[in-house]
Amino acid sequence: MSTEKVLFESKWLSVIEKTLDNGGKYLFTRADWCNSKGVAILPYRFNEDKGMEFLGRYEHHPSYSDNLELGAIMGGMDKEGEEPVVTAWRELIEEGGYKVPIENIFSLGKSRPSKSTDNLMYLFAVCLDDGFEKVEAIGDGSLVEEGGYSKWIDLGELIESDEPLLQSMYVRLAFRKTDEFVKRLSN
């Protein structure tokens, strides 16, 4: 029977050593502040001049860069009892600067972005073709979001980014969408 031992713990993160049934040891992280659950949302639109565009988020990623880096609009599910789609809706307002009816946001399933963490991410997308309300993207006030901003990017920028959640959401979006989506994407 496997067992877990906490090697380090803070308000935000724990490092866990898991002893496997075969006696081996494995290290992983747990995001205690949100019960290791989060959301990512991929807003998209069709621009007649530029084709398909996606809303990416530029923020600090201190684990691998001191610069603002392209990532997904995402956040932790830190509100007790809040449904993932509500968290995605809130993050779209906070980080993306768009307010849409919650029923316009649709699920792309779930993902575990790395085997070095027990995080579970709920993935969503929303089409912003219809000119939804633009609001100030204020972020959550954390240091990693300081100076961050959202920007429309093209498919090439999305594919070339280092952000696997952006790419995963795009693939799921392209796979699940209608013939109209595929037609517009290829133009």
Side-chain angles (χ1 to χ4, degrees):
M1 184 166 164
S2 64
T3 59
E4 293 183 1
K5 178 172 128 181
V6 177
L7 299 178
F8 170 82
E9 189 172 31
S10 74
K11 175 182 175 184
W12 304 106
L13 180 77
S14 295
V15 177
I16 311 293
E17 178 183 71
K18 185 170 189 171
T19 303
L20 307 175
D21 292 341
N22 66 7
K25 304 222 184 253
Y26 191 80
L27 296 176
F28 65 94
T29 62
R30 177 174 290 146
D32 297 310
W33 68 278
C34 63
N35 295 313
S36 290
K37 293 181 182 162
V39 300
I41 185 166
L42 183 62
Y44 65 95
R45 68 183 181 191
F46 299 99
N47 181 315
E48 287 190 29
D49 297 327
K50 298 179 182 178
M52 191 165 188
E53 295 181 306
F54 307 89
L55 193 60
R57 178 80 181 163
Y58 287 82
E59 292 183 350
H60 294 282
H61 296 258
S63 59
Y64 58 85
S65 175
D66 292 332
N67 301 316
L68 294 174
E69 299 284 340
L70 175 60
I73 293 172
M74 65 178 127
M77 294 182 57
D78 59 341
K79 310 274 188 277
E80 185 68 34
E82 186 172 83
E83 291 294 317
V85 70
V86 175
T87 306
W89 175 80
R90 189 170 37 79
E91 292 298 331
L92 180 60
I93 294 169
E94 285 178 13
E95 294 185 7
Y98 285 90
K99 193 170 189 179
V100 304
I102 200 163
E103 59 270 10
N104 288 40
I105 297 172
F106 58 94
S107 175
L108 296 173
K110 298 181 277 187
S111 176
R112 294 203 181 265
S114 169
K115 63 182 178 180
S116 64
T117 181
D118 67 353
N119 286 352
L120 176 64
M121 296 297 289
Y122 294 86
L123 308 178
F124 295 92
V126 62
C127 181
L128 296 179
D129 277 350
D130 296 329
F132 296 106
E133 182 182 352
K134 181 84 172 109
V135 296
E136 184 180 0
I138 58 170
D140 64 8
S142 66
L143 290 175
V144 296
E145 289 190 11
E146 188 175 296
Y149 61 93
S150 293
K151 176 184 164 197
W152 288 100
I153 61 172
D154 64 27
L155 180 58
E157 291 170 286
L158 183 147
I159 297 299
E160 293 297 322
S161 77
D162 292 338
E163 171 59 72
L165 285 175
L166 280 174
Q167 295 151 352
S168 179
M169 288 186 292
Y170 170 73
V171 168
R172 290 179 183 201
L173 177 65
F175 181 74
R176 294 179 183 191
K177 291 307 291 176
T178 64
D179 291 337
E180 175 64 18
F181 177 86
V182 174
K183 178 182 158 196
R184 292 177 87 174
L185 176 61
S186 61
N187 288 339

